[in-house]
Every structure is written in C-alpha cells, then in structure tokens.
C-alpha cells in the first residue's frame, strides 16, 4: 500500500510521521489532500491523497507532521524556513 511505503520513506529520512495517528476519510473538501489537527494530534488524509504517487503522499505526510510537531501554519514563513534549513 502507498501509505506504508510513504511512511517508510519518511522514516528513512529521519521523519517519524507515524508518531501521530492517521485517519483516511472520503474527502476533506475541494483540493484538500490532508489536514493536521493540532489539538487531536492526528493527521487526516483524503482518500484521493492515498492514490497519488508514493513520494507525493510522503511529502503530504511530512507537511502535516510538521504542522503538528512544530505548530507551523500552512504557507507560512516559519514553515518555509524550517524546510529550507532541513535541506
């Protein structure tokens, strides 16, 4: 399954994205592939997200994990800076 491969890929890079529970739902709304719930510390994945490439799913998981672990907002300078620093 793509999800297991994507999680393994993230873990191989040192990002333990499966620290937080993941729930696959039918939809999260138009053009929304995933959502991090910081209060519940849970990642929600739209079913269509799980049908993308393994790398695409891995990047989505990493982004949502970052939102929960570090509290960075979507499309924020702090998130962007963290990503570039990691690179």
């Amino acid at each position: 399954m793509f999800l297991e491969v994507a999680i393994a890929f993230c873990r191989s890079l040192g990002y333990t994205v499966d620290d937080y529970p993941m729930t696959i739902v039918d939809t999260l709304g138009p053009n929304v592939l995933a959502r991090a719930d910081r209060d519940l510390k849970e990642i929600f994945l739209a079913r269509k997200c799980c049908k993308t490439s393994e790398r695409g799913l891995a990047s989505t998981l990493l982004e949502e994990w970052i939102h929960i672990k570090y509290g960075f907002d979507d499309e924020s300078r702090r998130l962007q800076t963290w990503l570039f620093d990691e690179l």
Side-chain angles (χ1 to χ4, degrees), residues 11-74:
R11 283 187 147 277
S12 75
L13 298 174
Y15 303 111
T16 54
V17 296
D18 55 339
D19 284 346
Y20 306 111
M22 297 174 202
T23 300
I24 298 173
V25 297
D26 287 332
T27 185
L28 291 166
N31 302 316
V32 179
L33 295 177
R35 182 176 61 83
D37 188 313
R38 290 187 211 158
D39 294 328
L40 295 175
K41 296 190 184 301
E42 185 169 357
I43 297 171
F44 293 90
L45 301 166
R47 194 166 304 285
K48 67 182 173 184
C49 179
C50 297
K51 295 178 182 176
T52 64
S53 69
E54 292 159 351
R55 291 272 174 115
L57 180 53
S59 67
T60 299
L61 289 174
L62 180 59
E63 180 184 355
E64 302 311 322
W65 177 80
I66 292 167
H67 290 316
I68 295 172
K69 183 163 181 77
Y70 298 105
F72 301 145
D73 293 326
D74 266 337

